[in-house]
Amino acid sequence: MLQHLPVLQVMVPLFGALVAALSRRPGPSWLVMTAASWIALAISVTLMHQVLTGGVISYHIGGWDPSLGIEYRVDVFSALILVLVSGIAAVSAPFAHRSVASEIPEDRIAWFYTMYLLALTGLLGIAITGDAFNAFVFLEVSSLSSYALIALGRDRRALVAAYQYLILGTIGATFYVIGVGFLYVTTGTLNLGLIGERLAAVESTRPVLTALAFITVGISLKLALFPLHVWLPNAYAYAPSTATVFLAATATKVAIYLFVRYLFTVFGDRFVFAELPIQQVLIVLSVAAIFGAGAVAIFQSDVKRMFAYSSVAQIGYITLGIAIATQTGLTGGIVHVINHGLIKGALFMALGAVALQVRHCHIEELAGLGQKMPLTMSALVVAGLGLIGVPGTVGFISKWYLIVASFEVGWWWLAVLIVASSLLTVVYVGRVVEAVWFREPSEVARGAREAPLSMLIPMWLLAGATVFFGIDANLTAGIAAKAAAALLGSPG
Amino acid sequence: MSGAELIAIALVLPVATAVLVALFGRRPNSREGATLLGAVALFATVLALLTQVLGGAAPALPLIEIVPGLTIAFAIEPLGMLFAVIASGLWIVNSLYSIGYMRANGEQRQTVFYVCFALAIAATMGIAFSGNLFTLFLFYEVLTLVTYPLVTHSRTAEAKAAGRLYLLLLLGASTLLLLPAVAWTGIAAGTLDFANGGILAGKLAPAAMGLLLALFIFGIAKAAVMPMHFWLPAAMVAPTPVSALLHAVAVVKAGVFFIVKVVVFVFGIDTLRETGAGDWLVYVAGFTVITASLVALRQDHLKRRLAYSTISQLSYVVLGASLFTPLAIVGAVMHIAAHAVSKITLFFAAGSLHTAAHIDHVSEMDGIGYRMPWTMGAFAVGALSMIGVPLTAGFLGKWFMLVGAGGHAQWFAVGVIVLSTMLNAGYFLPVIYRAFRRPAKAEADGHGHDEAHSGEAPWPMVVALVTTAILTVGLFFFPGVPLTLAQMLTAG
Amino acid sequence: MIDVFSELASHYNQYITVFLMVAGLYIVIARGNMVKKLVGLSLFQTSVYLLYISPAKIVGGTAPIVDPRFAVYSNPLPHVLILTAIVVGIATLALGLALVVRINEAYGSIEEDEIFERDQDH
């Protein structure tokens, strides 16, 4: 059984989706979703343990040799993403129960969970597969189910947001496939590791560069790298709360995983940064994302949209770490993948608990909610502090690594930019905190009651994690450092 | 009990007090009892540590390594010991005063007030006992966050605006200037641990060292070195116990403590003197001392006058530190202690005037000394100490600084001290004169107080301010503890 | 001159691919009607099928069925990949059209600018 864990990691949520679709009623389908995500988490934790103790796991599907068949390959970085995605799904399961019941019509709840599990399948598949085209398949599985998830939102603008995401996401995926096509034509294989090895022998670099360009742009659309981020604010704002929690914490992170995998394992960072000005472009776009999206966030009156723009800014930090591409920089980028997942998960859960009672997450309607929902709003404050990067929270750990990395390569101006951007975060988080805790309750807020326990516990689990891993970051940063070392040392 | 255990108790005790206060929220007497009990227990713990430190011990408590290179660790040295003694001792007095003030003025949200107070003291203990730059930075930031609700306590528009300025200026300075300084120090010195004599000797060019010092001085905005001082007068909108805490016990003292700690334990006095990297500091400090005093002359609002006086007095400490000689450092340290007891007396008196006589402006104070003799008597003592009249604590600090400055031909510093003493007299003596010499104005309406009362403030407040006034005089006659600690600091 | 034409003639498959790709993308960007956008998207995806399949035909290769008489076969793998891609394309189109139907029910229009206006009034 244990040696089949890699394929079970994907099969369990997939079959869960099937069973959820067949079960039709809200209660059973929720149970299926919970069971599937918890089992997926158990599998991913076991895989992580196996990788940390035994080295890279290579699983050949159907027994076919990797050059011919599909290989599932788990190294430290993949295991990290697997744990993150399944962890968020598992923690969201109890949260989803009340949230979904209140936001989605009863006859569609089973479909919601089906789509949710399909999205989980797709995301886990991207992280675990070692085949380029298989990655495309899972990419589309996760994307299509995400479009459906978003479209199930209450507001009719969710439909338009899903449509816009569909158009842009499909263009992105298609660009990715074009890139893979060029890689196949030049190397004759679709296995990521083997492509990496064979690329060194390829003489004509033009198709390779074309492939790199298409893959970069394609994945950047999925990752919501500025300026290809336009689908994200609306998608996160109008999706059902559980969908936002799940997608905000995981979808873009898996795209980042794919991006890093191509940059470091397939093409090799030395080749990539030497042949194309990707490092400079990434740095400029990352800084633009951090400041641009941060500035726009300040002026939003819908709090969900505000934090969606915040996500675009935070992704900028991750890509900045990747662009610096030193051990410290890459560690900072990877650890922020985890940290941001935790922070945004907690934040959107708090907003989801608010949405249970207050229909729109308008900052005016949130006024004074701290008095009626103190536990929920405290979780919001804790996660908000993590977003700002106050020492003692996970946000600080990521920022520390990025600042030290900037100093190490002598780009002190970048360190200045990183710290300056925290101030933007202070402003918009401060706006929300001030409205929630320091104003008199609004009309709608007066009728609000504290969130149910099934929502509070997951919320505080994630919010607590943002503080716990800010004080003892050896687990998260340690694993991130190992992942970074493996990526930087890999051939290609 | 070992030193490490005592440190742990000293940190946990205020937090436990905060929890108890929160639990007793509905029962004011139990709640106030919890605060006083916690304060007394904390002072006892700190005294136990003091005996150990005076005996030559250096208790330490390494706590946790967050990531390689960043640890939370505590280690007591003489300066931190003095700060802890001042903070914990004055917490008792301040709590007593707060009880009187909050009840007499019928203030809202008293539980939140006492909880935040206790947490602020916890953060202060963390600052005082910090063993490396990161721990100090961590608790410094926590202090900012925990005192924000105290500043915005009254929830008026003015209070919220003041709170925003407070948060933005303090967080802004520490994120933009202090954090890069800490990161730069870590990279240049290879460690963040404190060492008497500094960790940067020979590691940086003098110009770079000067820049780094500037980042620290202006990044530590709690020390209110101009132009980072704007938050202080704005924060006067808070209730007087908060101002007393901010301006005597915790926040500003944390600022100057940080600066002296950095000068002695990160740079090293000898390094700074020999490289000349800190030569500019004496001019910056002197500028703040004079300018703040000039502005204080023109303030009619009593608390704002005291605020600018505080800005000026804090830069005395920086001035003393900037001379980089042992004697001047002793003076600076003595002044930390002297200013604490004197300023808290002055603020207590101001709050007393507000509560009993509804007086907020100097122009309203004619003849008040006859109706409130204890209050104005204490005020007079505090004011004389600020001027530096012999027989009060303030004289000692200024004397050591003058001797230290004169002995090294630092005539600028000498001039600043002399000139500012005259200015101090210029804005304090008229207040005392008005209170006692001018004929009393028409009786202010007694707002529910017994007419049989002498018109004094409630007894807890009077007891508190008389106690600190006695301390102000007592410190002149019994300077043993601060003086010994200061000398241990410069000898080590 | 002849060289240019022979270049064009020998790489005609790739020129067609690129033409379809750009045409599809142009439609997506330039047209405001949601169904038309989906048509453009499908066109764009179709060009990718061509991109994979045309290099699969090896010059001088026969159908990929093992037979002792032949040594060179065309590559069947891209066809397999494109079957998958076609399925994905159909699913995307179906989902997109379903969304357009729902949007029409909710807004009464499938023109992007009209929908944008109706949201602004909200």
Side-chain angles (χ1 to χ4, degrees):
Chain A
M1 172 75 125
L2 272 178
Q3 79 257 42
H4 292 300
L5 281 181
V7 80
L8 279 175
Q9 174 83 93
V10 176
M11 288 294 117
V12 166
L14 185 59
F15 280 111
L18 191 58
V19 175
L22 290 174
S23 64
R24 292 306 191 93
R25 287 203 317 273
S29 58
W30 176 77
L31 280 170
V32 172
M33 187 274 257
T34 309
S37 37
W38 285 5
I39 297 176
L41 177 62
I43 296 177
S44 58
V45 169
T46 316
L47 281 173
M48 170 66 95
H49 177 77
Q50 283 182 346
V51 167
L52 284 177
T53 49
V56 176
I57 300 175
S58 171
Y59 182 88
H60 303 166
I61 296 211
W64 291 95
D65 182 79
S67 58
L68 297 171
I70 294 179
E71 179 198 15
Y72 277 6
R73 197 178 173 77
V74 188
D75 66 355
V76 181
F77 191 28
S78 340
L80 190 63
I81 301 293
L82 289 173
V83 171
L84 176 69
V85 175
S86 52
I88 297 282
V91 171
S92 312
F95 177 85
H97 192 81
R98 289 288 301 272
S99 176
V100 170
S102 78
E103 290 186 22
I104 301 201
E106 206 180 323
D107 55 349
R108 297 211 190 128
I109 292 183
W111 294 118
F112 178 88
Y113 287 127
T114 311
M115 292 297 123
Y116 188 93
L117 283 173
L118 278 177
L120 180 61
T121 310
L123 291 172
L124 289 173
I126 299 173
I128 207 169
T129 186
D131 182 283
F133 202 82
N134 199 218
F136 165 69
V137 172
F138 281 120
L139 191 65
E140 283 298 76
V141 167
S142 67
S143 302
L144 287 170
S145 42
S146 306
Y147 309 149
L149 275 177
I150 292 169
L152 283 167
R154 276 189 293 207
D155 195 317
R156 68 178 186 179
R157 283 173 290 189
L159 296 168
V160 183
Y163 180 84
Q164 198 185 21
Y165 186 15
L166 184 146
I167 299 284
L168 288 173
T170 309
I171 294 179
T174 315
F175 269 37
Y176 171 77
V177 150
I178 295 175
V180 169
F182 280 112
L183 281 180
Y184 179 64
V185 160
T186 46
T187 58
T189 174
L190 287 169
N191 182 286
L192 289 175
L194 283 175
I195 295 179
E197 286 172 25
R198 292 187 193 181
L199 270 181
V202 170
E203 290 149 9
S204 157
T205 53
R206 212 188 299 167
V208 178
L209 288 176
T210 317
L212 175 62
F214 271 108
I215 289 177
T216 305
V217 175
I219 301 183
S220 300
L221 262 166
K222 290 286 182 182
L223 183 182
L225 178 65
F226 182 93
L228 302 170
H229 66 286
V230 282
W231 56 269
L232 197 150
N234 284 335
Y236 285 9
Y238 301 123
S241 307
T242 314
T244 311
V245 168
F246 182 61
L247 291 174
T250 59
T252 45
K253 313 297 176 296
V254 177
I256 288 168
Y257 162 82
L258 200 57
F259 189 50
V260 170
R261 186 57 78 201
Y262 270 95
L263 231 47
F264 291 92
T265 310
V266 176
F267 289 103
D269 52 312
R270 264 155 274 139
F271 169 78
V272 169
F273 292 150
E275 291 292 329
L276 289 180
I278 291 211
Q279 188 176 43
Q280 289 87 313
V281 170
L282 262 183
I283 291 183
V284 170
L285 290 180
S286 306
V287 173
I290 297 171
F291 281 96
V296 173
I298 295 178
F299 296 104
Q300 296 300 312
S301 52
D302 181 337
V303 180
K304 268 179 103 175
R305 272 188 116 221
M306 179 193 283
F307 284 123
Y309 275 107
S310 161
S311 288
V312 178
Q314 297 288 317
I315 288 167
Y317 285 121
I318 301 176
T319 47
L320 199 60
I322 296 173
I324 299 181
T326 59
Q327 170 67 24
T328 321
L330 198 53
T331 307
I334 294 177
V335 85
H336 202 52
V337 166
I338 312 169
N339 295 340
H340 183 241
L342 294 172
I343 294 173
K344 275 292 155 54
L347 267 173
F348 281 116
M349 274 191 187
L351 289 177
V354 170
L356 198 61
Q357 338 219 6
V358 177
R359 239 192 102 92
H360 297 116
C361 278
H362 246 257
I363 202 165
E364 295 304 321
E365 294 179 9
L366 258 59
L369 216 49
Q371 296 174 25
K372 301 291 174 180
M373 305 175 74
L375 288 171
T376 310
M377 291 299 120
S378 309
L380 190 106
V381 172
V382 170
L385 288 177
L387 206 57
I388 296 174
V390 171
T393 62
V394 285
F396 178 77
I397 304 288
S398 322
K399 296 237 168 88
W400 175 260
Y401 271 105
L402 289 174
I403 294 174
V404 171
S406 311
F407 273 126
E408 276 176 6
V409 289
W411 294 338
W412 53 267
W413 49 269
L414 193 57
V416 172
L417 285 175
I418 294 172
V419 291
S421 59
S422 307
L423 288 181
L424 290 174
T425 319
V426 172
V427 177
Y428 60 77
V429 172
R431 269 190 75 199
V432 177
V433 170
E434 206 192 60
V436 164
W437 284 103
F438 294 100
R439 294 229 293 253
E440 287 307 305
S442 66
E443 280 287 333
V444 267
R446 245 169 267 159
R449 283 170 313 142
E450 186 56 88
L453 216 58
S454 64
M455 285 186 165
L456 278 178
I457 295 182
M459 191 192 309
W460 267 104
L461 209 62
L462 288 178
T466 64
V467 175
F468 179 79
F469 289 119
I471 308 262
D472 180 7
N474 277 309
L475 193 65
T476 48
I479 295 184
K482 282 205 187 89
L487 285 165
L488 285 171
S490 57
Chain B
M1 274 216 217
S2 76
E5 286 170 0
L6 284 172
I7 297 179
I9 296 178
L11 291 166
V12 169
L13 208 50
V15 179
T17 311
V19 172
L20 269 180
V21 168
L23 287 174
F24 283 134
R26 298 293 162 111
R27 287 182 288 188
N29 290 329
S30 311
R31 178 187 65 199
E32 262 71 299
T35 305
L36 285 171
L37 194 62
V40 171
L42 180 65
F43 190 55
T45 316
V46 171
L47 281 182
L49 280 167
L50 177 65
T51 40
Q52 289 196 8
V53 170
L54 285 176
L61 176 66
L63 204 57
I64 190 164
E65 189 189 37
I66 297 189
V67 284
L70 283 184
T71 52
I72 300 184
F74 301 101
I76 307 187
E77 39 73 35
L79 183 64
M81 192 71 249
L82 181 64
F83 187 26
V85 170
I86 296 172
S88 53
L90 289 177
W91 187 24
I92 305 177
V93 187
N94 197 308
S95 299
L96 189 61
Y97 184 84
S98 304
I99 295 170
Y101 184 94
M102 299 301 271
R103 292 194 179 190
N105 285 299
E107 290 274 352
Q108 303 276 332
R109 289 177 297 277
Q110 291 192 29
T111 309
V112 171
F113 177 86
Y114 288 111
V115 167
C116 287
F117 241 85
L119 290 175
I121 297 291
T124 311
M125 290 295 121
I127 293 175
F129 294 151
S130 55
N132 58 47
L133 254 180
F134 173 69
T135 313
L136 184 47
F137 179 68
L138 169 67
F139 283 103
Y140 181 85
E141 294 294 84
V142 171
L143 186 60
T144 308
L145 293 171
V146 159
T147 47
Y148 169 73
L150 289 172
V151 173
T152 57
H153 183 89
S154 61
R155 305 287 171 91
T156 61
E158 202 197 341
K160 281 192 266 190
R164 250 173 264 147
L165 178 64
Y166 183 78
L167 207 60
L168 274 174
L169 192 56
L170 287 179
L171 279 183
S174 49
T175 318
L176 276 175
L177 300 170
L178 189 54
L179 179 57
V182 172
W184 190 2
T185 308
I187 294 181
T191 174
L192 285 173
D193 291 335
F194 290 128
N196 203 328
I199 51 176
L200 283 173
K203 299 267 174 73
L204 280 178
M209 209 181 278
L211 178 61
L212 184 58
L213 183 64
L215 284 177
F216 273 112
I217 298 294
F218 294 110
I220 303 173
K222 290 200 178 85
V225 175
M226 285 185 173
M228 310 310 264
H229 66 285
F230 288 103
W231 62 271
L232 225 165
M236 286 299 107
V237 71
T240 305
V242 177
S243 306
L245 178 71
L246 293 184
H247 297 93
V249 181
V251 173
V252 293
K253 285 290 170 284
V256 285
F257 168 80
F258 204 152
I259 290 185
V260 177
K261 191 116 185 184
V262 161
V263 164
V264 177
F265 290 93
V266 173
F267 287 92
I269 310 175
D270 297 325
T271 314
L272 282 173
R273 192 180 53 238
E274 284 156 21
T275 58
D279 287 348
W280 55 271
L281 186 57
V282 69
Y283 299 103
V284 169
F287 174 79
T288 306
V289 170
I290 301 294
T291 315
S293 296
L294 287 172
V295 176
L297 276 173
R298 305 188 55 231
Q299 298 298 316
D300 188 36
H301 192 272
L302 183 59
K303 279 176 75 176
R304 284 184 78 94
R305 184 175 288 205
L306 293 178
Y308 280 101
S309 165
T310 303
I311 298 173
S312 172
Q313 299 287 329
L314 288 173
S315 281
Y316 266 122
V317 177
V318 182
L319 187 71
S322 68
L323 297 174
F324 309 129
T325 62
L327 210 53
I329 301 274
V330 169
V333 173
M334 292 298 299
H335 200 65
I336 291 180
H339 176 255
V341 286
S342 318
K343 220 15 134 356
I344 203 173
T345 312
L346 287 169
F347 272 106
F348 281 168
S352 179
L353 286 166
H354 173 85
T355 307
H358 296 299
I359 289 179
D360 291 322
H361 295 89
V362 176
S363 48
E364 298 167 332
M365 283 174 71
D366 292 345
I368 193 68
Y370 296 108
R371 282 192 293 134
M372 304 178 69
W374 291 104
T375 302
M376 287 318 297
F379 186 95
V381 171
L384 290 175
S385 175
M386 290 283 81
I387 298 172
V389 170
L391 295 186
T392 60
F395 173 75
L396 284 175
K398 287 201 183 176
W399 175 253
F400 278 109
M401 280 197 279
L402 268 175
V403 173
H408 281 83
Q410 298 267 21
W411 303 118
F412 178 76
V414 171
V416 164
I417 298 176
V418 170
L419 178 59
S420 62
T421 306
M422 295 195 291
L423 288 171
N424 290 347
Y427 60 73
F428 273 127
L429 291 179
V431 178
I432 306 175
Y433 178 76
R434 283 190 104 123
F436 285 107
R437 290 315 193 92
R438 298 263 193 97
K441 283 223 173 105
E443 284 289 323
D445 153 56
H447 52 114
H449 271 190
D450 262 17
E451 283 311 283
H453 262 229
S454 59
E456 264 295 358
W459 69 264
M461 296 166 73
V462 175
V463 167
L465 53 87
V466 167
T467 311
T468 53
I470 294 175
L471 278 175
T472 310
V473 174
L475 210 55
F476 175 82
F477 292 103
F478 305 103
V481 168
L483 194 53
T484 319
L485 288 172
Q487 285 166 338
M488 282 173 78
L489 177 72
T490 48
Chain C
M1 199 55 180
I2 309 286
D3 300 333
V4 175
F5 276 127
S6 73
E7 263 292 313
L8 229 80
S10 61
H11 293 284
Y12 69 93
N13 54 337
Q14 288 168 346
Y15 285 105
I16 294 178
T17 305
V18 171
F19 174 73
L20 283 175
M21 206 183 280
V22 176
L25 271 179
Y26 173 76
I27 297 173
V28 173
I29 297 171
R31 290 283 166 256
N33 183 303
M34 288 184 157
V35 174
K36 287 186 186 172
K37 275 181 177 334
L38 286 172
V39 169
L41 202 62
S42 294
L43 209 54
F44 176 52
Q45 287 177 306
T46 309
S47 73
V48 177
Y49 310 156
L50 275 179
L51 180 71
Y52 270 67
I53 293 181
S54 49
K57 172 74 176 88
I58 307 290
V59 174
T62 180
I65 299 172
V66 178
D67 189 300
R69 286 173 289 162
F70 295 99
V72 186
Y73 301 94
S74 292
N75 192 342
L77 181 62
H79 293 258
V80 171
L81 300 177
I82 291 311
L83 276 174
T84 314
I86 291 175
V87 171
V88 170
I90 291 190
T92 311
L93 186 61
L95 181 58
L97 287 172
L99 279 175
V100 173
V101 169
R102 289 289 311 283
I103 289 176
N104 192 31
E105 283 172 15
Y107 284 89
S109 161
I110 55 172
E111 296 289 334
E112 273 214 322
D113 37 14
E114 284 177 29
I115 292 171
F116 188 65
E117 263 178 52
R118 272 167 220 186
D119 270 335
Q120 291 299 87
D121 302 333
H122 245 243

